[in-house]
């Protein structure tokens, strides 16, 4: 056949077929998406520090292990309150002449998704220590440590942030470990990662593949409550540690804690829901409950888990008791 | 969704079935090889017994044997019919004359590598390409090995240039653009002029292309380690000036190949050249689309990323390697390809379906739902070219299976073909929405990309390199080290991928069941350790391969004296050109 024996015709056809398909599946959808999208009206643009932090995030290839996308499937519910939508990424433009746009959606979760990490883990102290040595706060973590983002000094000057590193991880460093500008910028970027609320009246897209067994499993559990151990691991453990002993100079112990074992339930629920900043020797606690949309059942399960673990031996609380306080907090907000 | 009945999901079942295939084939090759070893051992024993018997022969028996020998050696004088006239072969019917008297002293065996006469300049160019490729394989996988270790020992050092996030793209890009790309192009420089039956258009252009691509990988690796990258899209981590060097390098070779094909002495264009030239055109289109700035805002970047990362694999590495396979497999088996038209069908369907499937990396993400569905449909369509290609290759093997156990190159071909089938169809199974739910974001993707880029592309490249380098240099590698390379690489790959796939499935199910994230990290630890062990075996096999390559190229040049009339004339022509 002439067509197959003529190199001009053959290669031109193969070329045009590919370019044609490329236009349809890549270029046109891409152009269409960038034209018909805008950031949500209430989206907060990155501050100068956060933008600099994003560059550090990019330079160190953090996207290799951390995604920034909440898929519209039920299993991704733990990473955000709603699925990510096109508008969430609309503000990402080309970084500079050398570098392309960085939506940082990622393709692997060797580490957790970071779409909403600013709400889930807003504590500066935790983030800095975690960057300096992840295993100081999460024993099983395999994240790289970034000690080169920190400076060792004899004394801490005004305006500098010291990181209290447990002795085990100081590796013979006797001076003060101080966060560099880059480390603070990186944390500022992480703190800025929060899902923007959809404007009122706009329907929230739902999650697919909902677990049907959830209700049945919940009914089987103790007193119809979710598993407190699992909830503790997901929401509390990174600071207060699996053994409930916290970290000296950063996060207080729950083991033997008067609040955990005491009778002031209102204070206890308030701390979990709205955070705590009453003790100078420890870091500020964020509003874990409100930030992560924990339900009254979740809070009850966590409280009962904490009151009966690590040698704590206090009387379990009931859902009704917690619910009364919980509803009041929800009503008044932060 | 009930995750307990995971074995009733079609995508999972397909994958288990697919993974079983290479394991079964590897076992069969192993059994065949073991049988031949046992056979040899038994023969040797028999020979020993026989020798004992020889020593105790009686004179009468010896006399009887000598008489029989005399009878057998009776022959005519060979000129009973022709008398004393001179012998002439005016129709060229006889092409090899050996003196039959020699046969009684040394039996002449068929030379294992019949060597075509190839211009020394081209030989040198091809070897340079392959040598650079071998270097990048060693470099890239040393980095990969180190990354695997970091999963088990994250605190091994704390240097910014060697931190995980920076090194990971160094590994992927070095094996992509350094090892696989240079290897394929070097082999292309051998195949394209061969099937066009003319010398390559320009040797110099070939060297320029080689230098540019090497420069791109060197600069790219340094930049990545220094923290300068393109913003995070996988496999396009090199910034545009670095990638431009690669693009220009490919363009120069593309023009070179195109000119060679335009000058061809054959009427038809052999199907290898369809694949090779198209792959080179496409990789340029892909790189252009990926780096052009005007359609990259917001989700545009993601849509382009899905297109780019998958077309890079399918339309560059896969297409080019298939083109090489259409030349090397028939040539190695010494028979024509089973069906030329199946090759053509596979070519057009590959372009049609493969181009559509890019966004299956972003299923359930914020990119348009219809685009995700198109990608899934395209992934299923890929069954056509994959089955067509595999059938074609296996049917070419038909009738030549016995060559497998006596050849050190054919096992590489077979494993490459098997993984072509397994790896590609696994990709299809992964694109289903349920399997995506379990496996997306887990280490399954890593296992899949090693099954394909390593199991298909690297095994095929090794097959081709072991086929042609001895032909170019006249030196064969020791068969034992080739065997060691093969088995270490194959067993290493299985140790690497199978535990990772099992662990990834468990991890995905933990996520679906809402277990705390850190539990899934802890659960993966033993699987990551297995991955490091498999990776180490693979890495050792590359050192063995580099040694084999060194043996094939670096010993003193054997002086080749052209033997047949066309070779003598060609050599004379070249000599005159030089003068």
């Amino acid at each position: 056949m002439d067509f197959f024996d003529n190199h001009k015709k053959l290669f031109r056809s193969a070329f045009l077929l590919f370019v044609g398909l490329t236009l349809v599946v890549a270029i046109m959808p891409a152009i269409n998406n960038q034209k018909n999208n805008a950031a949500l009206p209430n989206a907060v643009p990155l501050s100068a520090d956060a933008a600099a932090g994003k560059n550090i995030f990019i330079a160190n290839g953090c996207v290799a292990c951390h995604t920034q996308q909440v898929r519209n499937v039920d299993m991704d519910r733990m990473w955000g309150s709603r699925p990510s939508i096109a508008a969430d990424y609309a503000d990402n433009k080309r970084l500079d002449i050398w570098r392309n746009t960085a939506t940082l959606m990622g393709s692997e979760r060797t580490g957790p998704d970071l779409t909403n990490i600013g709400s889930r883990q807003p504590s500066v102290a935790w983030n800095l220590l975690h960057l300096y040595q992840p295993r100081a706060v999460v024993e099983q973590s395999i994240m790289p440590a970034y000690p080169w983002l920190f400076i060792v000094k004899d004394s801490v000057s005004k305006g500098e942030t010291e990181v209290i590193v447990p002795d085990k991880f100081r590796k013979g460093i006797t001076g003060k470990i101080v966060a560099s500008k880059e480390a603070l910028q990186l944390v500022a970027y992480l703190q800025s990662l929060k899902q923007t609320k959809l404007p009122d009246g706009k329907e929230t897209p739902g999650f697919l593949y909902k677990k049907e067994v959830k209700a049945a499993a919940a009914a089987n559990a103790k007193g119809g409550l979710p598993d407190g151990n699992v909830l503790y691991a997901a929401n509390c453990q990174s600071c207060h540690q699996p053994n409930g002993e916290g970290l000296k100079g950063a996060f207080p112990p729950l083991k033997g804690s008067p609040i955990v074992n005491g009778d002031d339930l209102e204070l206890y629920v308030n701390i979990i829901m709205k955070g705590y900043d009453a003790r100078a020797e420890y870091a500020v606690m964020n509003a874990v409950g409100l930030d992560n949309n924990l339900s009254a059942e979740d809070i009850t399960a966590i409280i009962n888990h904490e009151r009966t673990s690590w040698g704590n031996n206090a009387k379990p609380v009931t859902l009704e008791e917690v619910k009364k306080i919980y509803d009041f907090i929800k009503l008044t907000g932060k | 969704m009930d995750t307990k009945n995971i074995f009733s999901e079609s995508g999972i079942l397909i994958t288990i079935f697919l993974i079983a295939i290479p394991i079964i084939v590897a076992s069969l090759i192993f059994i065949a090889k073991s049988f031949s070893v046992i056979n040899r051992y038994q023969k040797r024993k028999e020979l020993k017994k026989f020798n004992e018997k020889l020593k105790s022969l009686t004179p009468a028996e010896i006399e009887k044997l000598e008489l029989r020998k005399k009878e057998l050696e009776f022959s005519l004088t060979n000129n009973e019919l022709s008398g004393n006239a001179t012998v002439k072969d005016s129709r060229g019917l006889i092409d090899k004359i050996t003196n039959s008297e020699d046969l009684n002293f040394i039996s002449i065996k068929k030379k294992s590598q019949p060597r075509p006469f190839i211009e020394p300049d081209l030989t040198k160019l091809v070897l340079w390409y392959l040598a650079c490729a071998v270097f990048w394989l060693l470099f890239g996988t040393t980095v990969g090995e180190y990354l695997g270790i970091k999963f088990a020992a994250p605190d091994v050092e704390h240097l910014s240039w060697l931190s995980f996030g920076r090194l990971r793209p160094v590994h992927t890009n070095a094996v992509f653009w350094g090892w696989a790309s240079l290897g394929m192009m070097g082999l292309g420089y051998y195949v394209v002029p061969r099937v066009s039956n003319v010398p390559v258009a320009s040797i110099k252009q070939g060297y320029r292309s080689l230098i540019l691509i090497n420069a791109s990988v060197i600069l790219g690796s340094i930049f990545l380690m220094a923290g300068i990258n393109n913003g995070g899209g996988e496999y396009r981590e090199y910034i545009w000036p670095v990638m431009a060097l690669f693009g220009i390098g490919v363009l120069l070779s593309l023009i070179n190949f195109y000119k060679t094909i335009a000058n061809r002495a054959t009427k038809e264009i052999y199907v290898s050249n369809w694949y090779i030239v198209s792959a080179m055109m496409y990789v340029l289109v892909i790189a252009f689309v990926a780096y052009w700035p005007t359609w990259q805002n917001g989700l545009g970047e993601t849509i382009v990323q899905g297109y780019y990362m998958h077309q890079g694999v399918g339309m560059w590495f896969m297409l080019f390697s298939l083109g090489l396979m259409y030349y090397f497999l028939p040539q190695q088996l010494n028979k024509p390809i089973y069906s030329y038209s199946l090759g053509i069908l596979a070519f057009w369907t590959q372009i049609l379906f493969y181009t559509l499937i890019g966004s299956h990396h972003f299923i359930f993400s914020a990119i348009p739902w219809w685009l995700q569905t198109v990608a899934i449909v395209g992934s299923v369509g890929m069954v056509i070219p994959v089955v067509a290609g595999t059938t074609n290759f296996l049917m070419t093997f038909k009738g030549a299976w016995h060559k497998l156990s006596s050849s050190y190159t054919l096992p590489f071909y077979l494993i490459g073909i098997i993984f072509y089938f397994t790896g590609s169809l696994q990709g299809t199974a992964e694109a289903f929405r349920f399997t995506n739910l379990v496996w997306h974001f887990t280490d399954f993707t890593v296992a899949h990309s090693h099954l394909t880029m390593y199991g298909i592309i690297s095994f095929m490249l090794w097959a081709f390199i072991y086929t042609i380098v001895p032909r170019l240099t006249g030196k064969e590698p020791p068969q034992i080290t080739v065997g060691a390379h093969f088995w270490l690489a194959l067993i290493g790959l299985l140790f690497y991928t199978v535990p990772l796939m099992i662990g990834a499935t468990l991890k995905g199910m933990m996520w679906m069941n809402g277990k705390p994230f850190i539990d899934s990290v802890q659960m993966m630890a033993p699987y990551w350790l297995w991955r490091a062990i498999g990776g180490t075996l693979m890495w050792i096999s590359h050192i063995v391969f580099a040694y084999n390559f060194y043996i094939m190229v670096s010993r003193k040049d054997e002086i080749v004296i052209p033997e047949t009339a066309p070779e003598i004339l060609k050599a004379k022509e070249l000599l005159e050109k030089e003068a």
Side-chain angles (χ1 to χ4, degrees):
Chain A
M1 231 197 300
D2 176 55
F3 172 73
F4 290 149
D5 294 339
N6 183 325
H7 58 271
K8 282 187 191 152
K9 280 187 194 166
L10 175 68
F11 292 136
R12 199 180 296 150
S13 320
F15 180 76
L16 289 177
L17 174 61
F18 185 66
V19 171
L21 288 169
T22 298
L23 275 171
V24 176
V25 299
I27 298 179
M28 274 158 32
I31 291 177
N32 186 36
N33 251 277
Q34 88 177 23
K35 263 194 186 155
N36 299 326
N37 256 314
L40 294 171
N42 48 340
V44 188
L46 291 183
S47 67
D49 269 349
K54 184 177 181 183
N55 283 332
I56 296 162
F57 187 91
I58 292 167
N60 287 295
C62 307
V63 71
C65 301
H66 295 287
T67 54
Q68 285 187 32
Q69 47 172 322
V70 179
R71 297 171 299 169
N72 56 352
V73 291
D74 198 57
M75 62 191 282
D76 270 22
R77 194 187 276 280
M78 63 168 93
W79 306 123
S81 52
R82 61 165 174 85
S84 300
I85 55 173
D88 294 333
Y89 304 97
D91 245 355
N92 283 296
K93 302 266 159 62
R94 194 173 177 81
L95 292 166
D96 51 39
I97 185 165
W98 306 110
R99 297 176 304 159
N100 195 10
T101 314
T103 56
L104 301 172
M105 278 171 94
S107 57
E108 221 182 312
R109 278 183 192 154
T110 306
D113 184 271
L114 299 181
T115 309
N116 206 25
I117 190 68
S119 304
R120 278 210 326 277
Q121 185 47 278
S123 157
V124 178
W126 186 91
N127 271 305
L128 285 175
L129 179 55
H130 183 248
L131 278 178
Y132 183 80
Q133 176 49 275
R135 278 152 293 287
V137 278
V138 184
E139 197 193 334
Q140 309 95 322
S141 170
I142 58 158
M143 180 170 132
Y146 294 89
W148 69 85
L149 294 177
F150 296 82
I151 308 156
V152 178
K153 287 180 135 189
D154 290 335
S155 61
V156 183
S157 344
K158 214 178 154 199
E160 286 183 335
T161 315
E162 191 196 348
V163 185
I164 310 289
V165 180
D167 292 343
K168 192 179 152 196
F169 298 101
R170 293 183 74 92
K171 294 219 165 144
I173 294 172
T174 47
K176 305 271 185 194
I177 297 170
V178 174
S180 71
K181 196 177 82 204
E182 286 78 20
L184 291 170
Q185 286 170 335
L186 185 51
V187 173
Y189 173 62
L190 293 175
Q191 286 179 311
S192 78
L193 293 174
K194 288 177 185 171
Q195 273 194 316
T196 311
K197 268 223 172 75
L198 290 184
D200 288 341
K202 204 170 170 216
E203 199 193 337
T204 312
F207 288 99
L208 302 174
Y209 297 93
K210 285 224 164 67
K211 268 188 112 59
E212 291 145 19
V213 285
K214 215 171 191 172
N220 290 338
K222 217 175 6 177
L225 290 174
D227 187 349
N229 193 9
V230 169
L231 284 166
Y232 178 82
N235 298 293
C236 323
Q237 184 168 294
S238 62
C239 292
H240 295 291
Q241 301 299 303
N243 59 9
E245 288 172 14
L247 283 176
K248 219 173 103 190
F251 314 113
L254 302 180
K255 182 179 171 180
S257 148
I259 294 178
V260 171
N261 292 297
D263 295 326
D264 191 350
L265 189 60
E266 193 177 341
L267 175 64
Y268 195 179
V269 175
N270 257 295
I271 291 174
I272 296 179
M273 288 301 287
K274 293 160 71 176
Y276 199 50
D277 187 19
R279 293 168 70 179
E281 72 269 35
Y282 292 118
V284 184
M285 175 174 165
N286 64 296
V288 173
L290 286 172
D291 289 345
N292 295 304
N293 285 318
L294 296 182
S295 65
E297 287 81 3
D298 295 340
I299 302 289
T300 316
I302 291 172
I303 290 178
N304 284 341
H305 171 74
E306 289 175 353
R307 281 167 77 92
T308 55
S309 303
W310 323 295
N312 287 353
N313 195 11
K315 202 166 83 347
V317 298
T318 64
L319 178 60
E320 288 70 43
E321 291 173 275
V322 174
K323 197 147 175 65
K324 233 173 25 202
I325 309 163
Y326 180 90
D327 288 341
F328 182 72
I329 296 170
K330 272 279 178 185
L331 207 67
T332 51
K334 273 197 191 186
Chain B
M1 173 146 299
D2 189 3
T3 45
K4 272 187 188 136
N5 277 329
I6 190 159
F7 291 107
S8 66
E9 280 297 327
S10 52
I12 308 258
L13 288 178
I14 291 171
T15 306
I16 292 174
F17 170 70
L18 290 172
I19 297 310
I21 297 174
I23 296 177
I24 292 167
V25 172
S27 323
L28 287 180
I29 296 180
F30 183 76
I31 291 167
K33 294 258 169 186
S34 318
F35 267 123
S36 87
V37 169
I38 294 168
N39 224 355
R40 261 183 76 86
Y41 176 72
Q42 279 174 340
K43 276 261 168 74
R44 210 176 282 164
K45 251 173 133 179
E46 218 173 285
L47 183 72
K48 226 179 185 177
K49 252 196 208 157
F50 185 74
N51 286 343
E52 297 281 303
K53 219 165 126 195
L54 273 184
K55 279 180 201 157
S56 55
L57 281 182
T58 62
E61 276 173 320
I62 292 173
E63 202 178 320
K64 219 168 143 191
L65 283 169
E66 267 173 0
L67 182 71
R68 183 61 191 147
K69 189 179 168 215
K70 217 173 182 182
E71 286 166 7
L72 283 174
E73 280 172 356
F74 170 80
S75 71
L76 296 170
T77 53
N78 283 336
N79 55 359
E80 278 87 357
L81 292 175
S82 63
N84 289 327
T86 355
V87 182
K88 246 188 186 173
D89 178 28
S90 57
R91 293 195 181 140
L93 297 176
I94 299 167
D95 68 345
K96 191 166 187 183
I97 301 163
T98 44
N99 196 340
S100 63
E101 276 164 28
D102 289 353
L103 276 176
N104 285 335
F105 301 104
I106 314 156
S107 69
I108 297 170
K109 280 189 187 147
K110 215 167 112 192
K111 253 196 167 178
S112 60
Q113 303 289 341
R115 297 182 47 211
F117 183 83
I118 292 160
E119 306 89 307
D121 281 352
L122 183 66
T123 299
K124 216 170 133 193
L125 177 67
V126 172
L127 291 180
W128 264 112
Y129 266 92
L130 296 182
C132 293
V134 174
F135 170 77
W136 288 118
L137 174 70
L138 271 182
F139 171 81
T141 54
T142 303
V143 174
E145 167 74 2
Y146 187 53
L147 289 170
I149 291 171
K150 284 205 161 193
F151 272 86
D155 285 321
V156 72
E157 44 59 35
H158 293 143
L159 299 168
S160 64
W161 280 51
L162 298 181
S163 74
F164 184 89
R166 295 192 190 184
L167 272 190
R168 185 181 186 268
V170 172
H171 161 67
T172 53
N173 286 288
V175 292
F176 272 30
W177 316 124
W179 151 242
S181 299
L182 284 178
M184 293 186 321
M185 286 172 67
L187 295 162
Y189 269 100
Y190 178 85
V191 171
V192 172
R194 217 69 23 232
V195 296
S196 306
N197 218 357
V198 284
V200 72
S202 163
I203 297 269
K204 255 192 196 155
Q205 200 83 317
Y207 280 107
R208 283 194 200 113
S209 171
L210 175 67
I211 290 167
L212 284 170
I213 295 176
N214 273 318
S216 168
V217 186
I218 294 170
L219 284 177
S221 302
I222 294 172
F223 280 165
L224 287 179
M225 286 196 272
I228 300 165
N229 65 49
N230 192 37
E234 256 182 300
Y235 315 137
R236 53 171 171 168
E237 288 97 344
Y238 288 176
I239 54 174
W240 66 264
V242 173
M243 203 56 185
L245 294 176
F246 178 83
I248 297 168
V250 173
L251 182 66
L252 292 182
S253 283
L254 172 63
I255 295 170
N256 210 359
F257 287 170
Y258 187 80
K259 278 187 186 157
T260 309
I261 294 168
N263 293 333
R264 72 190 178 281
T266 56
K267 180 169 171 287
E268 68 281 352
I269 304 161
Y270 185 63
V271 72
S272 286
N273 281 346
W274 296 31
Y275 279 89
I276 292 172
V277 169
S278 300
M280 295 175 87
M281 294 191 305
Y282 295 169
V283 77
L284 293 173
V285 174
I286 294 159
F288 174 79
V289 172
Y291 280 86
W292 187 257
T294 62
W295 43 66
Q296 311 265 7
N297 285 353
L299 271 193
E301 188 258 3
T302 310
I303 292 169
V304 169
Q305 175 62 23
Y307 164 85
Y308 168 79
M309 64 200 276
H310 221 98
Q311 302 314 308
V313 177
M315 302 314 256
W316 170 236
F317 297 111
M318 201 60 245
L319 211 57
F320 204 125
S321 300
L322 286 175
L324 296 171
M325 185 58 107
Y326 277 103
Y327 171 79
F328 281 107
L329 184 68
Q331 201 253 16
Q332 186 73 357
L333 292 171
N334 204 15
K335 56 192 293 215
I337 192 86
Y338 168 71
S339 163
Y340 198 77
S341 35
L342 262 185
I344 293 171
L345 171 80
F347 176 77
W348 294 109
T349 45
Q350 166 110 359
I351 299 173
L352 181 62
F353 291 120
Y354 216 123
T355 316
L356 305 178
I357 66 181
S359 8
H360 74 200
H361 288 264
F362 294 101
I363 289 176
F364 298 122
S365 77
I367 68 168
W369 192 255
W370 69 266
L371 203 58
Q372 301 179 26
T373 307
V374 166
I376 296 171
V377 173
S379 307
V380 176
M382 273 308 289
V383 171
I384 299 172
V386 170
V387 170
T390 314
T391 312
N392 213 355
F393 298 142
L394 290 181
M395 290 305 274
T396 308
F397 252 108
K398 201 180 147 195
W401 290 106
H402 62 279
K403 292 185 179 171
L404 196 67
S405 62
S406 61
S407 160
Y408 59 83
T409 54
L410 283 178
F412 284 100
Y413 283 89
L414 184 64
I415 289 299
I417 294 166
I418 296 293
F419 274 117
Y420 173 51
F421 182 76
T422 295
S424 308
L425 291 190
Q426 186 192 45
T428 301
E430 275 183 80
F432 295 164
R433 284 203 166 101
F434 174 78
T435 40
N436 208 274
L437 214 52
V438 185
W439 289 330
H440 197 39
F441 295 145
T442 68
D443 300 78
F444 203 93
T445 325
V446 182
H448 173 67
S449 63
H450 282 81
L451 276 179
T452 48
M453 277 305 293
Y454 197 83
I456 306 175
I457 308 292
S458 295
F459 268 84
M460 285 186 181
L461 290 180
W462 289 323
F464 306 152
I465 289 172
Y466 281 129
T467 305
I468 72 152
V469 178
R471 267 154 223 241
L472 294 173
T473 62
K475 278 155 239 143
E476 290 188 52
Q479 301 209 0
I480 181 140
T481 48
V482 179
H485 170 200
F486 176 78
W487 287 109
L488 283 170
L490 180 58
I491 294 171
L493 178 62
L494 292 176
F495 275 9
Y496 183 107
T497 50
V498 173
L500 216 48
M501 287 189 283
I502 296 171
T505 309
L506 296 176
K507 190 180 190 179
M509 286 170 63
M510 284 176 93
W511 290 353
M512 287 171 84
N513 289 327
K515 292 276 178 333
F517 186 85
I518 195 67
D519 289 6
S520 71
V521 175
Q522 200 174 9
M523 184 277 299
M524 280 303 287
Y527 300 99
W528 279 329
L529 191 64
W530 274 106
R531 181 253 289 276
I533 293 168
T536 308
L537 294 179
M538 288 152 79
W539 181 67
I540 294 171
S541 87
H542 304 155
I543 296 175
V544 177
F545 167 60
Y547 168 79
N548 289 340
F549 187 79
Y550 171 78
I551 294 291
M552 288 191 283
V553 297
S554 86
R555 273 197 236 142
K556 254 186 268 151
D557 272 347
E558 193 189 311
I559 294 158
V560 186
I561 297 162
E563 281 170 2
T564 66
E567 285 178 1
I568 294 170
L569 288 175
K570 199 160 194 183
K572 185 165 179 276
E573 196 187 307
L574 272 175
L575 214 68
E576 274 160 10
K577 228 194 232 169
E578 267 175 37

